[in-house]
Amino acid sequence: MSSITLVFIILAGLLALLLALFQYWNKSKGHSKLYWTFIFLRFLTLFAILLLIINPKFEHLEVYTEKPNLIIAVDNSSSIKHLNQDSNSLKIVESLTNNSDLTNKFNIELYSFGDNLNSEDSLNFTKQQTNISNAINQLSQIYKESISPTVLITDGNQTYGSDYEFSSNSYKQSIYPIILGDTVNYTDLKIQQLNVNKYAFLKNSFPIEVFLIYNGSSNINSQFTVTSGNNIVYSQPITFSKSNNSKIVNFTLPANSVGVSAYKATLEPLNNEKNIVNNTKNFAVEVIDQKTKVALVSDFLHPDLGVLKKSIESNEQREAVFIKPNDIINQINDFQLFILYQPNNKFKQLFEALDNENKNKMIIVGTKTDIDFLNTTDKNYNQQITGQFEDYQSEMNLNFAPFIIDDIDFESFPPLKSNYGDVTFSIPFETILFKKVNNISTKEPLLATFETNGKREGILFGENIWQWRAQSYINAKSFNDFDNFIGKLVQYLASNKKRNRLNVDYESFYNGTGNIIIKAQFFDKNFEFDARETLTISVKDTISNKEKSFPLILKNNNYQVDLSNLSPSEYTFKVYAKNENISQSGSFQILEYDVEQQFLNADVTKLQRLANNSDGKSYFIDDTNTLVNDLLNDNRFVAIQKSNKNTIPLIDWKYLLLLIALTLTIEWFLRKYNGLI
């Protein structure tokens, strides 16, 4: 409270007293106790009202002690169980969480991690992937404002993600790894990596590259073989020594039949080898009969063209070719889809040829597009000519029906530049993305598709889509989301298949450690997305003949089911609608591969470097007591006394209003009782 406020309060008290005396003193014939009571009550009332007008503020100081946090992050992946360290991990967690000295000094928080970080106490060591870097990054967001030393209980074997050794650069806490696993180096042969394209073309040969690793000191001989079923399709003798401990094997296999071909690569194990799981790797290739060729037609160079080619060719089933408008006339039958980038009068012959041949196409409109030419040539839509340009952001249409698309955070993408003006369609069309201007939705199409006379067309009203691919990488740390979106759009536009009310999106084969998500869309008779239907999938293992059924769950604009718990095998499935006689069938294969079983030892060196980089220290299983003592005696981890100062205005004190009401009531009652009213 300031000194001037105190002066006002004193003056308010004097004023209240003077007013009370003025109102009662002169009216009293004798200064009885009753009139002194009236003066006192009136003084309290007036003083309380004046205090409310002055509204002084009082400061409340709250002092408390904040203990540092102790983060215990436990590796919950199956490699811990594979290395027989699951019981040791549980014992370490129990000894740390039940230590009274640690609980007195720290607030202990327990987390587990595999592919993601989870706040939970149950540990089952069944996670199929390990991403230590992701766990550290998530902890850095949670505890960036506090003192939180972190105990990392892990074998240090990461299956995917950024190199966690450098995660300490963004994590401002000390990390104390407890290293699980055998540190003894055993003699071991393994297939380190196998590279093969996902698709191959009929009557061609597809290349395979295999990296073989030997860990040992003596000279040994082994045999590398690739089998398909019971047949050996490739074999090569391999020799290793201490100095020559790695081999790269390159070879090709023929693609003789359409469909999924499964193979097993095996490096013959040694007699005394401890881990023979990493001597085998399964892989598959889908053989297709034809490659989809896409023509990227433009009269000038633009970064969008390079991005479209990259995205289209990210799937080996597709090929994109740059070509000039006049050069493609005699090659029309070589392509299944034509992407016309910002067409002008030079595209006139091409438009006529595409219409005559009834070919599918996609048009991209930008600042260099001849809108007058486009309006004259394509009668399906007309764009107003204003001579002005506008930046358009995108908004996904959740009711888009022709094919399944995922929201890849389109609203975060940079705006596209295009011509300003209304677009009028003369035929029915489907909008994939709406235009947004200054973050206000216009419900006008930015990206749309339509079908006429048995052919499919698409149109994008904006250039600089190359910025979208860059933003998608920033958002997801991968180009896959954007490339998949372009791939689905190209796949739909390049096909003339009849639309179905039930569409199912799935892969021909899946790796054993990946997520197996099957998506579906169901439409009513007007081909509008129907969220009221109940979809069920029946999955049959063709080897064991076991059959299971799962419901599909509605998520955004599609139905989904997670089949990641299925064991490796070959499956057929049928998705059917409960209320209507509509179904779709298919098949897929799950390859047997557990990346968590490929490790033989803990990664001691990397965990030690992680500890050193973060000003921490690494420990082995038997050093848990030493870790406890180090944490208790470290002067960096001490309780901090903090204070909160709250400023409370008097007007918020409801009891003062109650006092005013009470004094007025008592004064009125006494005056009434004594006949003064």
Side-chain angles (χ1 to χ4, degrees), residues 92-114:
I92 293 171
V93 172
E94 183 179 3
S95 66
L96 293 176
T97 54
N98 294 334
N99 189 292
S100 58
D101 293 330
L102 287 178
T103 55
N104 288 334
K105 182 175 181 178
F106 297 97
N107 294 317
I108 298 179
E109 302 286 345
L110 181 62
Y111 293 88
S112 66
F113 64 89

Side-chain angles (χ1 to χ4, degrees), residues 152-374:
L152 191 66
I153 305 175
T154 179
D155 57 12
N157 294 317
Q158 179 171 275
T159 58
Y160 79 104
S162 304
D163 193 337
Y164 67 84
E165 180 183 339
F166 305 103
S167 297
S168 58
N169 296 335
S170 59
Y171 192 46
K172 304 307 179 183
Q173 311 293 345
S174 298
I175 301 177
Y176 297 87
I178 297 181
I179 302 172
L180 302 174
D182 199 341
T183 59
V184 178
N185 289 324
Y186 294 96
T187 300
D188 185 52
L189 284 173
K190 69 176 179 179
I191 300 176
Q192 178 73 19
Q193 187 173 336
L194 188 148
N195 298 325
V196 62
N197 290 334
K198 191 175 182 179
Y199 301 98
F201 298 97
L202 186 65
K203 305 303 180 182
N204 287 346
S205 295
F206 56 92
I208 302 171
E209 183 179 47
V210 185
F211 294 84
L212 308 176
I213 301 296
Y214 167 62
N215 183 21
S217 57
S218 58
N219 297 336
I220 59 102
N221 295 315
S222 183
Q223 189 77 17
F224 174 74
T225 58
V226 178
T227 58
S228 177
N230 296 323
N231 300 321
I232 298 177
V233 295
Y234 181 81
S235 179
Q236 179 180 334
I238 303 294
T239 301
F240 291 104
S241 64
K242 184 177 181 179
S243 58
N244 187 17
N245 58 1
S246 64
K247 297 284 186 181
I248 300 176
V249 180
N250 290 286
F251 59 99
T252 60
L253 293 178
N256 295 325
S257 60
V258 175
V260 177
S261 299
Y263 301 90
K264 178 186 286 188
T266 303
L267 185 59
E268 184 180 341
L270 304 174
N271 294 330
N272 59 343
E273 195 167 348
K274 184 177 180 180
N275 183 8
I276 61 173
V277 175
N278 57 13
N279 292 60
T280 302
K281 192 177 287 278
N282 293 285
F283 66 99
V285 174
E286 183 176 1
V287 179
I288 55 181
D289 192 14
Q290 185 180 5
K291 195 170 191 174
T292 301
K293 291 187 69 175
V294 180
L296 296 172
V297 188
S298 177
D299 189 41
F300 60 94
L301 298 177
H302 195 281
D304 284 354
L305 298 171
V307 159
L308 289 170
K309 181 176 175 65
K310 281 281 187 182
S311 296
I312 293 170
E313 293 185 344
S314 64
N315 187 322
E316 295 90 347
Q317 296 183 77
R318 304 183 184 100
E319 178 185 1
V321 178
F322 297 126
I323 197 163
K324 294 285 186 180
N326 296 328
D327 297 339
I328 197 175
I329 303 299
N330 297 325
Q331 306 177 45
I332 284 183
N333 292 326
D334 295 339
F335 299 93
Q336 288 75 48
L337 176 65
F338 299 81
I339 298 179
L340 312 183
Y341 191 79
Q342 303 205 40
N344 51 35
N345 194 54
K346 296 180 180 179
F347 285 70
K348 184 176 181 180
Q349 282 187 300
L350 177 57
F351 269 90
E352 293 174 353
L354 293 178
D355 288 339
N356 292 335
E357 297 292 335
N358 211 34
K359 290 290 187 178
N360 297 351
K361 64 178 180 286
M362 178 178 177
I363 297 173
I364 299 179
V365 178
T367 57
K368 294 184 179 180
T369 304
D370 188 338
I371 301 298
D372 185 55
F373 164 77
L374 199 58

Side-chain angles (χ1 to χ4, degrees), residues 401 430 499 501 523-530 580:
E430 297 277 358
R499 291 175 61 182
R501 290 179 59 192
F523 308 104
D524 60 20
K525 293 181 180 179
N526 295 322
F527 281 94
E528 294 182 357
F529 181 73
D530 189 350
E580 300 198 36

